[in-house]
Amino acid sequence: MRNLFTLAALVALVLAIGSVQAQTVGSYDTMELSGQPAPEIALKTLAGKEVKLSDQKGKVVMVDMWATWCPPCRASLPHVQEVATNKALAEKGLVVWAVNQRENPAKVKAFLAKNKYDFTVLMDAHGQAARAYGVRGIPTTVIIGRDGKVANVFIGFGQGSAQAIDAALEKALAAK
């Protein structure tokens, strides 16, 4: 009987700890962020420069969470490149961050060179940005408005995704 009581107490403790952990590491769905203040991102670029989302206030930020091994991510990256190198969008205040998920920097650099991508890559080596945004699948693209609130969230990439992201960016850039 004593062993049964000990086992029940242990199970209750594990469930309680799991519940608290889930609440603190993003137990919500990324889609629930729409209209909410964007969680802070403080990561390093491939070149080692630290960047923070809070330093981008007044700009529109497109955050694209991706990995080299992910086929839908690879399909989305030409669009990320196109948006990131669009000078007209940059002049309107757009910043594009491609946030790599938990990969080796050397592997990411080689992938970028092979594909001739030169967008800004932030390294989410431990997944803290993905957890903060409740990311459950990649690619996940988040559009953050000038006010620091999440304007749109796109999960996955397929037919019509580029057009939907472009429309969301134009709307966010038009807002003052």
Side-chain angles (χ1 to χ4, degrees):
M1 185 70 157
R2 183 178 174 132
N3 286 344
L4 185 60
F5 177 74
T6 303
L7 180 62
L10 183 60
V11 168
L13 178 64
V14 168
L15 290 174
I17 290 170
S19 174
V20 170
Q21 275 188 321
Q23 291 172 7
T24 59
V25 296
S27 61
Y28 52 86
D29 183 297
T30 307
M31 299 302 281
E32 294 175 23
L33 287 175
S34 290
Q36 301 299 316
E40 177 68 284
I41 294 175
L43 297 170
K44 290 187 178 182
T45 66
L46 270 173
K49 178 184 176 195
E50 185 167 314
V51 296
K52 291 168 46 173
L53 180 62
S54 55
D55 291 342
Q56 304 303 315
K57 193 98 175 183
K59 295 182 180 181
V60 172
V61 181
M62 181 176 109
V63 177
D64 185 73
M65 308 247 185
W66 68 284
T68 63
W69 53 263
C70 164
C73 298
R74 289 194 307 265
S76 74
L77 292 176
H79 181 251
V80 172
Q81 176 71 19
E82 181 182 318
V83 171
T85 58
N86 185 316
K87 291 183 191 230
L89 295 176
E91 288 172 4
K92 291 179 183 178
L94 179 64
V95 172
V96 177
W97 288 345
V99 180
N100 179 269
Q101 297 303 298
R102 301 179 183 198
E103 290 189 283
N104 177 295
K107 181 177 185 174
V108 174
K109 286 178 185 178
F111 176 84
L112 295 172
K114 177 182 176 189
N115 291 285
K116 297 180 175 47
Y117 295 140
D118 60 0
F119 43 75
T120 301
V121 175
L122 305 183
M123 300 303 293
D124 192 10
H126 303 290
Q128 69 262 30
R131 277 192 302 278
Y133 279 76
V135 172
R136 301 284 188 261
I138 53 175
T140 293
T141 303
V142 180
I143 310 296
I144 302 164
R146 296 179 195 281
D147 60 359
K149 292 184 180 178
V150 174
N152 299 87
V153 175
F154 300 91
I155 300 172
F157 192 86
Q159 187 173 6
S161 295
Q163 295 83 358
I165 292 169
D166 291 347
L169 287 171
E170 286 296 338
K171 183 176 178 184
L173 289 165
K176 294 296 177 188

